Structures are given as C-alpha cells and as structure tokens.
Amino acid sequence: MVNLSIQDSIDGHNKIQMLKEEIGNEFSDNYSSTNRSMLVDVSECGNICYTIEVVGEYSKNEPKLGIFQKPSWLVWNGLFY
C-alpha cells in the first residue's frame, strides 16, 4: 500500500489531517488482540500512527499494554471504512 503522504500529494485529499482530527477515537482493528484500538497520535510525516488497544465489545481478551505503531493507511481504513 502507498503511504498516505504520497497518496495525499497525488489525489489532493488530506487523509493525514483527517487522521489527526480523529485522535482519541476508537476504531475496528483486526490486528489488535481485542479487535478495537484507539488512535493516540500521528507521526509528523503522517505515515505512522500510534495506537493503544482498548476493550472490545465482542472480545473476552484483555487489551495488551503499550503503544503500538501501525501504518497510517491501515488505521485510516479502520476509521473511515
């Protein structure tokens, strides 16, 4: 997948800014042990997002502690699709 910083320059959308406006919101995350994460920060370049796992509605797993780095396109898809 192409980094969001490159996509924004090609398609004229501002997906990185959209992500920054969603900091603090939860999203569906198939790569989380609970299937839910919260966006806590976006890197300066916009290609990396920092997330934490949160309790999932349908998961009995406890969230793993720590901040996780994920590609911004993956987080963008979880938040907006």
Side-chain angles (χ1 to χ4, degrees), residues 4-61:
L4 286 189
S5 60
I6 295 171
Q7 284 183 26
D8 282 354
S9 66
I10 293 171
D11 64 17
H13 292 100
N14 199 353
K15 294 181 178 119
I16 294 171
Q17 183 59 37
M18 291 171 71
L19 278 174
K20 289 179 179 179
E21 292 171 1
E22 295 297 317
I23 290 174
N25 288 337
E26 295 181 14
F27 63 97
S28 177
D29 183 359
N30 292 339
Y31 297 94
S32 163
S33 64
T34 62
N35 293 322
R36 297 290 296 170
S37 289
M38 178 187 294
L39 178 62
V40 293
D41 200 7
V42 179
S43 68
E44 190 173 318
C45 69
N47 294 324
I48 305 232
C49 288
Y50 301 94
T51 65
I52 58 172
E53 291 189 3
V54 295
V55 174
E57 186 176 349
Y58 303 107
S59 174
K60 295 183 191 285
N61 297 335

